[in-house]
Amino acid sequence: MAVVDIGSNSVRLVIYEGNTRAPTVLFNEKVLSGLGRGLADTNRLDDKAVASAIAALTRFRALCDQSRVREIHPIATAAAREAVNGPEFVAAAERAIGCPITILSGADEARFAAEGVIAGFHAPNGITGDLGGGSLEIVDVADGKIGNGITMPLGGLRLQDLSGGDVSKARGIADSHVGGSGFGPIAIGRPFYAVGGTWRNLLKLHMEQTGYPIHVMHGYSVKPGEIAEFLAAVVKSDPEKLPGIAAISRSRRSLLAFGAVTLQAVIQHLKPSEIVLSAYGVREGYLHERLSAEEKAKDPLMEAARELSFLRSRSPRHNEELIDWSTRTFTALGIAESVNEQRLRKAACLLTDIAWRAHPDYRGTQAFSIVVNAAFPAIDHPGRAYLGLANYYRYEGNFDPVSLDRMNGVVDPRMLQLARLLAALFRVTYLLTAAMPGVLERLRWAQDPRGGFTLAVPKDLAGLLGERPEARLQAFAKVVERTLRLEVR
């Protein structure tokens, strides 16, 4: 399935493996045609921009045919909708892509952007802001439902044109629209989910300047106070001289200041608790809306972890058994967890064997890298760090101070301890199961009258016991701070 997004700045093709709760991208390409450039002055799409977009769409059709795409969903936004020569462009674009194009209204853009945030986060509750080339849509999202929304002419290209390239004037325009949006009373103290390429590149630059250890953009979060000085520097500086600018494509740099002044206006007038970057937007929202109610109800993190488990593990069924086994262990030993901690633990169980094909000396680091950098939806960066560390320590055993230092400031001490605890349990488990199913469901924890707990192993599985499992159990006992025994019963 493919979505072709004809925006005011870029024309993009994304081919997905299928439309699921956690869609996997097979191919992704964009062309910065700049359809919306100059639109505020001329009310027309520039001829060169149109030619660029049509050429891109012709190539995209060929790529879809090459990839055996069964469904193509082309959508167009502000530039095609508002230009006087928009209908002429759309007709040519439909010939190039080979199917009808859906022209989204401003309300449609707002709805699909909000739907994308619902698709990409676990129980989001805040304000979504989709900054494109021609417009900014802000929408209230709470309890999985889309509330009121508004469209404003604050897209990067549009704001650049309206202000004549004057960033100070652009800030005044942004203040006027965001301040008059009426969203202040409902936005204050809630997360602001930033959607769109300009904001994504802006926060990517912030990530680069601060040396942030996780390079996945989705879920990257900053407090308004942490980013104020950075935004001010972007607004007043030559973009080519900004530290870390090499990480941003040259074609994106000219709009950074206009994205920055719009974000400054958001922070001043909406007063969010944090800015959270969403890589999920209109395209993902468009697909998510087409899902059945049953599919929408699934947890996308668990779906993504389950898929990776199926593709890379020795036994996906064994990983599923680990979920019940770890639940029974935590319950028996009195290890308390929040609802979200339970959710992350279950995902960690599904991912714990994905690096088994690597050389033994590198399984820990490879597992950590795969998990932390995976395209998982519905997880924040502390959650990513937890999943990565649980997988890392499952192979390495002891804490590695270097890796621990890299994650400082991302994951708190409690989550570090939970990662260590779960990894220690995994290290016992794999010596008893050899990563194959059928054993864990037969093991039982029993309170021992001598004090502590006994892991009871059935008599017909007695051959699995030995010196190494016993040593691993005692290592787990130290982490969990319990007296533990391993016996045949």
Side-chain angles (χ1 to χ4, degrees):
M1 178 177 289
V3 176
V4 177
D5 186 354
I6 306 168
S8 298
N9 193 27
S10 64
V11 180
R12 183 185 292 268
L13 166 70
V14 184
I15 300 176
Y16 299 91
E17 192 173 27
N19 192 13
T20 65
R21 191 61 183 88
T24 301
V25 174
L26 295 181
F27 187 85
N28 187 335
E29 179 173 305
K30 75 173 181 293
V31 175
L32 294 174
S33 297
L35 283 170
R37 192 175 301 280
L39 185 62
D41 296 328
T42 66
N43 205 27
R44 292 182 59 83
L45 302 176
D46 177 76
D47 289 343
K48 289 184 178 180
V50 167
S52 171
I54 295 301
L57 293 170
T58 301
R59 169 172 160 76
F60 290 171
R61 177 67 208 206
L63 287 167
C64 286
D65 292 342
Q66 167 67 15
S67 302
R68 296 175 175 81
V69 171
R70 296 184 180 184
E71 294 181 31
I72 303 176
H73 297 277
I75 55 177
T77 55
R81 179 176 70 236
E82 297 173 3
V84 294
N85 59 338
E88 178 185 337
F89 163 72
V90 170
E94 288 181 338
R95 289 192 295 271
I97 197 64
C99 54
I101 293 172
T102 299
I103 310 297
L104 303 183
S105 67
D108 290 334
E109 286 190 67
R111 185 177 83 256
F112 287 133
E115 193 86 32
V117 168
I118 290 173
F121 289 87
H122 181 60
N125 185 334
I127 304 297
T128 69
D130 183 11
L131 184 70
S135 61
L136 168 65
E137 286 77 35
I138 57 176
V139 187
D140 183 19
V141 172
D143 301 322
K145 297 178 182 178
I146 300 172
N148 295 328
I150 188 173
T151 299
M152 295 171 281
L154 298 179
L157 291 174
R158 178 74 63 85
L159 191 55
Q160 188 179 46
D161 290 342
L162 289 173
S163 65
D166 185 330
V167 179
S168 297
K169 186 177 179 181
R171 174 60 194 272
I173 296 170
D175 280 334
S176 175
H177 283 282
V178 178
S181 68
F183 269 73
I186 65 171
I188 186 169
R190 298 169 68 196
F192 181 83
Y193 297 95
V195 181
T198 299
W199 276 342
R200 182 169 60 251
N201 281 278
L202 187 65
L203 291 178
K204 183 179 182 180
L205 181 61
H206 182 262
M207 180 184 283
E208 190 74 16
Q209 289 188 5
T210 57
Y212 190 74
I214 297 178
H215 294 162
V216 175
M217 293 307 305
H218 186 68
Y220 180 57
S221 172
V222 291
K223 301 292 184 184
E226 296 171 348
I227 202 172
E229 186 175 336
F230 164 78
L231 292 176
V234 172
V235 169
K236 70 181 182 181
S237 303
D238 177 351
E240 299 302 324
K241 296 179 180 178
L242 288 168
I245 195 63
I248 310 302
S249 65
R250 292 187 180 278
S251 57
R252 288 285 192 180
R253 295 175 190 177
S254 64
L255 295 182
L256 289 176
F258 296 95
V261 297
T262 305
L263 191 53
Q264 285 178 323
V266 165
I267 291 172
Q268 179 179 339
H269 299 288
L270 303 189
K271 296 179 172 56
S273 59
E274 58 184 331
I275 311 298
V276 184
L277 196 284
S278 174
Y280 279 47
V282 170
R283 292 182 297 274
E284 292 76 17
Y286 182 86
L287 292 178
H288 185 260
E289 191 174 77
R290 300 172 66 86
L291 293 175
S292 66
E294 180 183 6
E295 191 71 18
K296 287 181 180 178
K298 294 178 180 178
D299 185 331
L301 172 62
M302 294 299 293
E303 292 303 299
R306 192 164 275 121
E307 181 174 293
L308 195 54
S309 170
F310 180 82
L311 291 171
R312 293 194 174 223
S313 298
R314 283 171 285 188
S315 171
R317 182 182 152 198
H318 177 266
N319 295 347
E320 296 282 356
E321 289 181 356
L322 277 173
I323 294 176
D324 176 66
W325 167 239
S326 62
T327 298
R328 288 192 287 119
T329 299
F330 277 43
T331 300
L333 302 186
I335 304 167
E337 295 175 291
S338 69
V339 172
N340 190 53
E341 289 167 352
Q342 291 176 7
R343 175 176 174 264
L344 292 173
R345 170 175 54 78
K346 292 174 181 179
C349 290
L350 295 173
L351 298 170
T352 187
D353 198 41
I354 61 171
W356 72 275
R357 287 183 184 271
H359 187 281
D361 291 348
Y362 301 103
R363 284 175 187 159
T365 53
Q366 186 172 105
F368 180 85
S369 179
I370 291 171
V371 171
V372 169
N373 296 303
F376 291 146
I379 185 171
D380 59 15
H381 282 206
R384 285 181 178 276
Y386 163 83
L387 292 182
L389 289 170
N391 224 314
Y392 178 82
Y393 296 135
R394 165 258 196 275
Y395 288 109
E396 302 298 328
N398 296 319
F399 278 98
D400 177 355
V402 175
S403 293
L404 189 60
D405 287 344
R406 288 175 57 213
M407 289 298 108
N408 278 344
V410 179
V411 59
D412 63 31
R414 172 171 172 78
M415 293 305 293
L416 280 172
Q417 175 62 12
L418 286 175
R420 183 186 180 198
L421 196 156
L422 185 61
L425 176 62
F426 287 157
R427 288 174 64 76
V428 179
T429 300
Y430 275 89
L431 289 186
L432 295 175
T433 66
M436 291 295 114
V439 172
L440 293 178
E441 59 194 13
R442 301 185 60 200
L443 303 181
R444 295 289 181 271
W445 288 103
Q447 198 146 15
D448 197 308
R450 296 165 291 181
F453 300 85
T454 295
L455 177 56
V457 178
K459 292 180 180 179
D460 61 314
L461 297 179
L464 296 174
L465 274 59
E467 182 179 330
R468 292 198 68 209
E470 177 63 38
R472 289 279 180 89
L473 182 71
Q474 295 313 312
F476 175 53
K478 289 182 180 179
V479 176
V480 78
E481 297 180 340
R482 305 283 193 280
T483 299
L484 302 180
R485 300 177 181 85
L486 184 61
E487 295 181 357
V488 174
R489 290 189 181 180

Short mmCIF file of all heavy atoms in Angstrom, two decimals, residues 126-148:
data_model
loop_
_atom_site.label_atom_id
_atom_site.label_comp_id
_atom_site.label_asym_id
_atom_site.label_seq_id
_atom_site.Cartn_x
_atom_site.Cartn_y
_atom_site.Cartn_z
N GLY A 126 -3.11 15.85 24.46
CA GLY A 126 -2.47 17.16 24.29
C GLY A 126 -2.97 17.84 23.04
O GLY A 126 -4.07 17.57 22.55
N ILE A 127 -2.12 18.70 22.49
CA ILE A 127 -2.44 19.46 21.29
C ILE A 127 -1.50 19.04 20.17
O ILE A 127 -0.28 19.01 20.37
CB ILE A 127 -2.30 20.98 21.53
CG1 ILE A 127 -3.17 21.43 22.71
CG2 ILE A 127 -2.65 21.76 20.28
CD1 ILE A 127 -4.66 21.25 22.51
N THR A 128 -2.05 18.69 19.02
CA THR A 128 -1.21 18.37 17.87
C THR A 128 -1.04 19.62 17.01
O THR A 128 -1.98 20.41 16.85
CB THR A 128 -1.81 17.25 17.00
OG1 THR A 128 -2.98 17.73 16.34
CG2 THR A 128 -2.18 16.05 17.85
N GLY A 129 0.15 19.79 16.47
CA GLY A 129 0.41 20.91 15.58
C GLY A 129 1.15 20.42 14.35
O GLY A 129 2.30 20.02 14.44
N ASP A 130 0.48 20.43 13.19
CA ASP A 130 1.07 19.96 11.94
C ASP A 130 1.50 21.15 11.11
O ASP A 130 0.67 21.87 10.55
CB ASP A 130 0.06 19.10 11.18
CG ASP A 130 0.65 18.53 9.89
OD1 ASP A 130 1.87 18.62 9.71
OD2 ASP A 130 -0.13 17.98 9.08
N LEU A 131 2.80 21.38 11.02
CA LEU A 131 3.36 22.50 10.28
C LEU A 131 3.84 22.02 8.92
O LEU A 131 4.85 21.33 8.81
CB LEU A 131 4.52 23.13 11.05
CG LEU A 131 5.13 24.39 10.43
CD1 LEU A 131 4.16 25.56 10.52
CD2 LEU A 131 6.45 24.74 11.11
N GLY A 132 3.10 22.38 7.88
CA GLY A 132 3.50 22.04 6.53
C GLY A 132 4.14 23.23 5.84
O GLY A 132 4.54 24.20 6.48
N GLY A 133 4.18 23.18 4.53
CA GLY A 133 4.72 24.30 3.79
C GLY A 133 3.74 25.45 3.68
O GLY A 133 4.15 26.62 3.60
N GLY A 134 2.43 25.13 3.69
CA GLY A 134 1.43 26.18 3.48
C GLY A 134 0.59 26.53 4.68
O GLY A 134 -0.02 27.60 4.73
N SER A 135 0.51 25.63 5.66
CA SER A 135 -0.41 25.89 6.77
C SER A 135 0.03 25.19 8.04
O SER A 135 0.87 24.29 8.03
CB SER A 135 -1.84 25.42 6.39
OG SER A 135 -1.84 24.03 6.12
N LEU A 136 -0.53 25.64 9.16
CA LEU A 136 -0.37 25.00 10.46
C LEU A 136 -1.74 24.61 10.96
O LEU A 136 -2.64 25.46 11.05
CB LEU A 136 0.29 25.95 11.47
CG LEU A 136 0.25 25.50 12.94
CD1 LEU A 136 1.06 24.23 13.16
CD2 LEU A 136 0.76 26.61 13.86
N GLU A 137 -1.93 23.33 11.26
CA GLU A 137 -3.18 22.85 11.85
C GLU A 137 -2.93 22.46 13.29
O GLU A 137 -2.01 21.67 13.56
CB GLU A 137 -3.72 21.63 11.08
CG GLU A 137 -4.33 21.95 9.73
CD GLU A 137 -3.29 22.20 8.65
OE1 GLU A 137 -2.23 21.53 8.71
OE2 GLU A 137 -3.51 23.09 7.79
N ILE A 138 -3.70 23.00 14.21
CA ILE A 138 -3.61 22.57 15.60
C ILE A 138 -4.95 21.96 16.02
O ILE A 138 -6.02 22.48 15.67
CB ILE A 138 -3.18 23.70 16.55
CG1 ILE A 138 -4.12 24.90 16.47
CG2 ILE A 138 -1.76 24.13 16.26
CD1 ILE A 138 -3.77 25.98 17.47
N VAL A 139 -4.87 20.87 16.75
CA VAL A 139 -6.05 20.08 17.10
C VAL A 139 -5.90 19.55 18.51
O VAL A 139 -4.81 19.15 18.93
CB VAL A 139 -6.24 18.88 16.14
CG1 VAL A 139 -7.56 18.17 16.40
CG2 VAL A 139 -6.17 19.33 14.69
N ASP A 140 -6.99 19.49 19.23
CA ASP A 140 -7.04 18.91 20.57
C ASP A 140 -7.21 17.39 20.45
O ASP A 140 -8.09 16.92 19.72
CB ASP A 140 -8.21 19.53 21.35
CG ASP A 140 -8.30 19.03 22.78
OD1 ASP A 140 -7.30 18.50 23.29
OD2 ASP A 140 -9.38 19.15 23.38
N VAL A 141 -6.38 16.63 21.16
CA VAL A 141 -6.48 15.17 21.17
C VAL A 141 -6.50 14.70 22.63
O VAL A 141 -5.62 15.08 23.41
CB VAL A 141 -5.30 14.51 20.44
CG1 VAL A 141 -5.31 13.01 20.64
CG2 VAL A 141 -5.33 14.83 18.96
N ALA A 142 -7.48 13.90 22.98
CA ALA A 142 -7.57 13.37 24.35
C ALA A 142 -8.38 12.08 24.35
O ALA A 142 -9.39 11.97 23.63
CB ALA A 142 -8.20 14.39 25.29
N ASP A 143 -7.93 11.10 25.13
CA ASP A 143 -8.67 9.84 25.30
C ASP A 143 -8.94 9.16 23.96
O ASP A 143 -10.00 8.56 23.76
CB ASP A 143 -9.98 10.09 26.05
CG ASP A 143 -9.77 10.70 27.41
OD1 ASP A 143 -8.79 10.31 28.09
OD2 ASP A 143 -10.56 11.58 27.81
N GLY A 144 -8.00 9.24 23.05
CA GLY A 144 -8.15 8.60 21.76
C GLY A 144 -9.15 9.27 20.84
O GLY A 144 -9.51 8.71 19.79
N LYS A 145 -9.58 10.46 21.20
CA LYS A 145 -10.58 11.16 20.39
C LYS A 145 -10.04 12.51 19.92
O LYS A 145 -9.23 13.14 20.59
CB LYS A 145 -11.86 11.37 21.20
CG LYS A 145 -12.54 10.06 21.61
CD LYS A 145 -13.78 10.31 22.45
CE LYS A 145 -14.42 8.99 22.88
NZ LYS A 145 -15.61 9.21 23.74
N ILE A 146 -10.53 12.92 18.75
CA ILE A 146 -10.11 14.18 18.15
C ILE A 146 -11.12 15.26 18.49
O ILE A 146 -12.32 15.12 18.25
CB ILE A 146 -9.98 14.03 16.63
CG1 ILE A 146 -8.94 12.95 16.30
CG2 ILE A 146 -9.61 15.36 15.98
CD1 ILE A 146 -8.89 12.59 14.83
N GLY A 147 -10.60 16.36 19.06
CA GLY A 147 -11.47 17.46 19.44
C GLY A 147 -11.47 18.57 18.41
O GLY A 147 -11.30 18.33 17.21
N ASN A 148 -11.60 19.80 18.88
CA ASN A 148 -11.65 20.95 17.98
C ASN A 148 -10.30 21.21 17.32
O ASN A 148 -9.24 20.93 17.90
CB ASN A 148 -12.09 22.20 18.75
CG ASN A 148 -13.51 22.07 19.27
OD1 ASN A 148 -14.35 21.43 18.64
ND2 ASN A 148 -13.78 22.68 20.41
#
